[in-house]
Amino acid sequence: MTSRRGRLAIVFWAMAMGGCNRHQSVFASFGEEAADINHITLVMVAGGILVAAGVAGLMAWAVRARPGALSLRGGERLILIAGGLIPALVLAALLVFSLPYMRPRAVAPANLRIDVAGEQFWWRVAYRPADGPAVVSANEIRIPVGRTVLFRLAGGDVVHSFWIPGLAGKMDMIPGRTNELPVRATRAGRFRGQCTEFCGLSHALMAFDVVAMPAEAFDRWLVEQRRPAVASTAPGAALFLQHGCGGCHAIRGTAAAGTIGPDFTHLAARATIGAGTLPNTEAARLRFLREPAAVKPGARMPAYPQLPETEARAIARYLGTLP
């Protein structure tokens, strides 16, 4: 029996600690909102433990007390104080403590706005700074440290849920409605977000990278992202257009102007493809091109099994030259 309990304890703690990591964990906060959530959660749990411990202590005393140890008047006083007054004071204190955390974060007109739309099964991203044109991207979000960023969230097809555990709380993305989530990153690093509303067969394969950057580095990056793709004479560039890839995907500076799928203008700069499903390598791009449904079930991208291997590999290699 002891060994069985020991094994169960090990399994429990392994499962609990499996959710704690540096890139996707509510305990590894890199945003003010997530830090506030951690703080208020710890205080609320402490308050709950205090109330539960008091109740447990009274139960233990009641079980062990000798008959007649408490008079009727004493029992009424105990119920009034321990059962009503003390819990009310504890809960009122917790309420007063939590109220300041419920105030929405102020967003100035000059702050950065990022529009994010959930699709099956990827993320459409558009940066809308106050001092320049919009920059379209996909499946990766970059934010400046120390500046307030306003996420405007919408669902492109079905209900999704946007959650970056270390940055802020989760928020639903509903078709036909735009929800706003202001956030502020406090430290730089690469983190991970996830869709947390079941949205179809590849719901679990719908993640994205979040890169928090020093503000000056972010400004330089955004300027680079505004530029079109560098003209290429690689065979894959012509094949990309010849086989109709530009009907779904855009590469600014070329004839590819599709909006159905992710924007590929600076694809090579992203760490993953397929919304966090595969590393951004030539082999992975080739695999996704030939059999997208095998990588991501339910994906709307058509398969190209008839595409010659040499041509498919040329397209995959060309996409890796789009920094």
Side-chain angles (χ1 to χ4, degrees):
M1 182 64 70
T2 302
S3 59
R4 179 181 298 179
R5 290 178 179 176
R7 288 195 296 269
L8 289 175
I10 293 173
V11 170
F12 172 79
W13 284 110
M15 293 175 63
M17 297 306 294
C20 302
N21 53 52
R22 292 177 296 175
H23 66 284
Q24 186 176 347
S25 172
V26 294
F27 299 110
S29 60
F30 68 100
E32 292 182 358
E33 290 74 15
D36 288 347
I37 291 172
N38 282 342
H39 189 199
I40 196 172
T41 299
L42 290 174
V43 173
M44 289 292 181
V45 169
I49 292 174
L50 178 63
V51 172
V55 172
L58 287 174
M59 292 177 62
W61 178 82
V63 170
R64 296 181 179 181
R66 68 181 187 279
L70 191 65
S71 65
L72 177 60
R73 181 174 295 277
E76 292 174 345
R77 188 181 297 113
L78 179 63
I79 292 174
L80 176 63
I81 297 175
L85 184 59
I86 293 178
L89 289 175
V90 172
L91 295 177
L94 292 175
L95 175 62
V96 172
F97 167 79
S98 64
L99 286 177
Y101 291 93
M102 298 181 186
R103 289 196 300 263
R105 181 172 299 280
V107 181
N111 289 148
L112 174 67
R113 191 183 91 190
I114 303 178
D115 294 343
V116 183
E119 307 280 353
Q120 287 180 308
F121 301 92
W122 59 282
W123 306 89
R124 190 187 301 273
V125 182
Y127 300 84
R128 302 190 184 277
D131 59 349
V135 175
V136 178
S137 184
N139 295 329
E140 182 181 89
I141 296 175
R142 299 201 177 212
I143 55 176
V145 173
R147 296 179 185 170
T148 300
V149 175
L150 178 65
F151 284 117
R152 289 172 52 85
L153 309 173
D157 35 41
V158 300
V159 176
H160 301 272
S161 189
F162 181 85
W163 191 29
I164 307 172
L167 182 63
K170 63 182 69 174
M171 182 168 286
D172 282 348
M173 310 173 82
I174 303 171
R177 176 174 177 174
T178 300
N179 291 329
E180 296 186 346
L181 178 66
V183 302
R184 187 194 296 268
T186 55
R187 62 185 176 94
R190 180 176 290 272
F191 307 93
R192 184 179 173 93
Q194 182 72 46
C195 177
T196 56
E197 181 79 29
F198 180 74
C199 55
L201 290 176
S202 285
H203 160 66
L205 301 175
M206 188 173 171
F208 57 96
D209 286 331
V210 183
V211 183
M213 309 172 64
E216 297 78 10
F218 175 84
D219 291 338
R220 292 192 297 269
W221 174 85
L222 196 60
V223 169
E224 291 293 329
Q225 292 295 299
R226 289 195 182 109
R227 297 176 180 173
V230 178
S232 175
T233 58
L239 291 170
F240 185 87
L241 298 174
Q242 176 184 329
H243 290 290
C245 303
C248 292
H249 302 280
I251 299 178
R252 295 191 302 277
T254 73
T259 59
I260 297 174
D263 186 289
F264 282 172
T265 305
H266 298 287
L267 177 65
R270 302 170 198 164
T272 64
I273 62 170
T277 305
L278 295 174
N280 191 1
T281 63
E282 182 179 323
R285 293 191 296 270
L286 176 62
R287 180 186 174 195
F288 203 107
L289 173 62
R290 299 300 296 272
E291 297 179 320
V295 177
K296 183 167 286 194
R300 296 178 180 179
M301 177 176 169
Y304 286 88
Q306 77 285 357
L307 195 64
E309 176 77 15
T310 54
E311 295 187 1
R313 189 172 296 279
I315 294 175
R317 186 176 298 114
Y318 162 64
L319 294 176
T321 66
L322 298 172

